[in-house]
Amino acid sequence: MLIAAQEDGRGMNDAQLRDEVMTLVLAGHETTAMNLTWTWYLLDQNPEVAAWLREELDEVLGGRAAQFDDLARLPRTRAVIFESLRIYPPAWIIGRTNTEDIELDGWQLPRGSIIMTSQYAMQRDPRYWPDAFAFVPQRWLTEDGGFSDKAPGMPKGAWFPFGYGKRMCIGDQFALTEASLVVATLAQKWAPELAPDADVQVMGAVTLRPRNGMSMTLRQRP
């Protein structure tokens, strides 16, 4: 499809094709893969949250695969994904170039400066997140048990795993849907367990990765 694609009668050259393919691999695959990797790790390390999640899955799905229309009835599942993205955002740092001179907290930033902001740092900042380092998906639920991305009460910009503003990731809703459906479907039957000799260390590369991989044993759920 990329090779055949044309705009104003012209197709992409080899360099453009290569760039599009790399965008699909890095932005469309590895990010969600890392989100799922860290989610399974967090569920294993927090068995009470895993049991809380499976209560919902048993009630809503009853063993069948999750479908798009189920998402509205899976607030806990969505909360787990959002909280995982908060603690271990696959896109952990982002750069922007300002188009005009600005001042931030006394710092003069001339036009054309490269400004780096870190999701990993901001989303763990205790000023905005009570129990900032704890895995607490319940923070994303309202009093009636529904899901809301505003439930934690954080200020705008304190949670931005997909970026922020006009250049926010175009695939955010797709990624959130994909991750939620995968977790909802697999967590009904499986409980990946961290290997006893696993050495989990965070590594900031293109994405936020486990430095030594994530060695886990695939076990049937309790």
Side-chain angles (χ1 to χ4, degrees):
M1 291 175 64
L2 290 174
I3 293 173
Q6 292 192 351
E7 183 175 2
D8 298 328
R10 299 174 59 185
M12 288 184 280
N13 59 38
D14 289 350
Q16 291 171 322
L17 282 169
R18 185 261 185 196
D19 290 347
E20 291 293 335
V21 171
M22 289 304 297
T23 297
L24 290 172
V25 172
L26 292 175
H29 167 74
E30 183 171 340
T31 46
T32 302
M34 288 299 99
N35 176 214
L36 291 170
T37 297
W38 291 114
T39 298
W40 294 122
Y41 168 71
L42 287 166
L43 288 172
D44 174 67
Q45 298 298 295
N46 297 270
E48 71 288 347
V49 174
W52 175 78
L53 168 66
R54 293 186 179 104
E55 286 179 2
E56 173 179 85
L57 301 180
D58 290 344
E59 179 180 347
V60 175
L61 302 178
R64 64 176 174 81
Q67 305 293 325
F68 178 79
D69 291 342
D70 295 316
L71 289 177
R73 298 190 297 145
L74 295 173
R76 296 183 183 182
T77 305
R78 298 173 69 190
V80 163
I81 297 301
F82 270 64
E83 183 72 347
S84 175
L85 284 168
R86 182 186 71 81
I87 298 178
Y88 293 109
W92 65 281
I93 194 167
I94 191 170
R96 291 290 184 264
T97 302
N98 54 318
T99 58
E100 58 186 47
D101 297 341
I102 58 174
E103 178 181 336
L104 291 176
D105 196 26
W107 291 86
Q108 301 295 327
L109 303 176
R111 175 183 176 184
S113 299
I114 298 177
I115 304 171
M116 307 298 292
T117 57
S118 173
Q119 294 96 323
Y120 185 81
M122 181 68 75
Q123 294 173 184
R124 290 166 169 248
D125 193 324
R127 291 177 296 175
Y128 312 121
W129 303 95
D131 297 322
F133 298 96
F135 182 54
V136 188
Q138 292 87 344
R139 74 174 83 236
W140 297 94
L141 299 185
T142 58
E143 292 184 0
D144 62 1
F147 172 83
S148 172
D149 59 4
K150 297 180 176 58
M154 68 290 190
K156 289 183 178 181
W159 186 86
F160 63 114
F162 299 98
Y164 196 77
K166 293 182 179 180
R167 294 193 177 276
M168 183 174 173
C169 175
I170 195 173
D172 62 329
Q173 294 304 311
F174 178 85
L176 291 168
T177 299
E178 180 182 27
S180 297
L181 293 179
V182 169
V183 168
T185 297
L186 297 183
Q188 292 184 88
K189 298 182 179 180
W190 302 103
E193 181 180 298
L194 191 67
D197 60 347
D199 180 19
V200 180
Q201 298 182 31
V202 175
M203 179 178 71
V206 176
T207 56
L208 194 71
R209 307 170 183 171
R211 181 181 298 276
N212 304 306
M214 188 70 73
S215 299
M216 307 190 86
T217 300
L218 190 60
R219 300 192 185 281
Q220 289 188 320
R221 61 166 285 191

